[in-house]
Amino acid sequence: MAEIATSPTYRRAGGLRRLLERYPFLPALAIVLVLLALNGIFSPNSLSYRSLTGLLSTYMALILLAIAQTYVVYAGDIDLSAGSILSLVNVAIIVLMERWGGGAGAVLLALAIGLLLGLACGLVNGLVVAALRLQAIVATFATSIFFTGLALYILPVAGTPAPTIFWRTYGGRLLGLPFVFYILVGLVVLLAVLSRTRLATQLLAVGDDQQAAYQTGLPVVAIRIRGYLLCGLFSALAAFCITGDTASGDPLVGGKMTLFSVAAVVLGGSALSGGWGTVVGSLLGALTIGLISSVVFFMGTPSEWQNFVQGLAILVVLMAGVLAGRRARP
């Protein structure tokens, strides 16, 4: 056994494991770089400054939704209503902006109400899952139907346009730089601040062993509720981005995005069982999904086969990411 422990191969494996333990998002980063290279091979223009800016603008909503999902997954929970919260906030702010005239003041007030609405939805989820102790997957599936129903009540038919000032700001430039870059910088700062709070560590502790966390004195129910509050907050921010990108309201816009957000979390190296993960990985996982879509399109895949090829590619990348991530987990 001593010979095995001191062999170069064993030391290399141990070094790789320590590296992945410290930076669990590395497999996701490697996958993103490979996909960027493939995009460049099939369409060199896809790596231009303008194209990359467009990619970031289009998938910023999914990035935020994946981050939203990450905080509940930390604690071993899941939120199948994240996309429905996005849809509800989307139609709510669109209707409010329209009724209040669409000026700068109306836009800012509508966005503030949108944030409160996202937090309220997160609170509802937190109470039914953590306080009432219902199964997260079933409870949030039920609330997703409820939130979608509210969205359809507010805006039965898609297509109400966003105010010009809103979508032009989102897709425009500020001081010579695309506005989406400022959103990305603000997101990085927000995530850095959250990472320095005890909440992220507490969520991971609850996800790792809920009983042990309770025995050490952690308020497990309150921590799980806070995780859902964060999920609601980031879902509302995602709604702002999807509204700016599509320039319209749609009560069903977040339908597919929920499962994409879950896939992005897993692609980023987080464990759905809880106790292990990183928001950076989820961000990269969301970009992975976007880049896969681009590769499938630039390959010239027939339209009737694009969903099949995209799903197959995500499955392959997911398996590769999970296998690499297992090396890092104790």
Side-chain angles (χ1 to χ4, degrees):
M1 293 297 293
E3 291 179 1
I4 297 176
T6 58
S7 66
T9 302
Y10 186 87
R11 287 197 298 270
R12 283 196 298 270
L16 177 60
R17 178 167 181 157
R18 286 192 297 272
L19 186 64
L20 291 175
E21 283 178 356
R22 187 172 182 180
Y23 306 107
F25 57 85
L26 285 179
L29 178 60
I31 291 170
V32 166
L33 293 176
V34 169
L35 289 171
L36 280 172
L38 289 174
N39 271 274
I41 291 171
F42 290 110
S43 176
N45 289 334
S46 66
L47 297 183
S48 67
Y49 177 74
R50 183 176 179 180
S51 296
L52 291 177
T53 301
L55 178 74
L56 185 60
S57 178
T58 300
Y59 287 97
M60 181 57 73
L62 181 58
I63 288 171
L64 286 163
L65 204 64
I67 292 170
Q69 195 73 245
T70 305
Y71 285 110
V72 292
V73 168
Y74 273 0
D77 292 316
I78 197 168
D79 190 353
L80 295 185
S81 71
S84 299
I85 296 173
L86 180 151
S87 298
L88 178 57
V89 174
N90 166 251
V91 298
I93 63 174
I94 282 289
V95 170
L96 290 175
M97 289 175 187
E98 181 189 37
R99 290 186 179 178
W100 291 342
V107 168
L108 292 175
L109 184 57
L111 293 180
I113 293 175
L115 286 177
L116 292 176
L117 182 57
L119 287 169
C121 293
L123 180 60
V124 169
N125 283 332
L127 290 174
V128 297
V129 173
L132 299 181
R133 300 185 180 182
L134 300 181
Q135 288 288 335
I137 193 169
V138 177
T140 57
F141 173 70
T143 57
S144 73
I145 299 173
F146 175 71
F147 296 147
T148 300
L150 285 178
L152 286 166
Y153 175 77
I154 293 171
L155 189 68
V157 180
T160 301
T164 303
I165 189 175
F166 184 80
W167 62 263
R168 279 190 176 175
T169 299
Y170 182 80
R173 291 174 173 269
L174 180 64
L175 301 176
L177 291 175
F179 188 76
V180 71
F181 283 1
Y182 293 98
I183 296 175
L184 182 61
V185 171
L187 176 61
V188 170
V189 171
L190 178 58
L191 293 179
V193 171
L194 287 173
S195 69
R196 294 181 180 275
T197 65
R198 286 186 288 182
L199 180 56
T201 305
Q202 290 173 340
L203 286 167
L204 289 168
V206 170
D208 186 50
D209 192 331
Q210 190 171 135
Q211 187 63 31
Y214 177 79
Q215 290 174 349
T216 58
L218 288 177
V220 173
V221 172
I223 289 169
R224 293 173 69 193
I225 290 175
R226 289 169 195 158
Y228 276 104
L229 284 171
L230 278 178
C231 185
L233 175 66
F234 278 96
S235 296
L237 294 174
F240 298 167
C241 292
I242 202 74
T243 305
D245 187 53
T246 62
S248 65
D250 183 350
L252 303 176
V253 69
K256 280 199 322 183
M257 293 180 69
T258 297
L259 294 182
F260 276 145
S261 72
V262 176
V265 170
V266 179
L267 284 168
S270 295
L272 289 181
S273 57
W276 182 271
T278 166
V279 289
V280 176
S282 299
L283 185 155
L284 293 171
L287 285 177
T288 297
I289 292 174
L291 288 169
I292 287 175
S293 300
S294 298
V295 169
V296 170
F297 175 78
F298 291 136
M299 286 172 59
T301 307
S303 58
E304 63 271 19
W305 284 97
Q306 284 185 8
N307 283 340
F308 173 81
V309 175
Q310 182 182 357
L312 183 62
I314 291 175
L315 183 61
V316 171
V317 170
L318 184 61
M319 289 189 294
V322 169
L323 290 174
R326 283 179 180 173
R327 289 177 171 268
R329 295 175 196 167

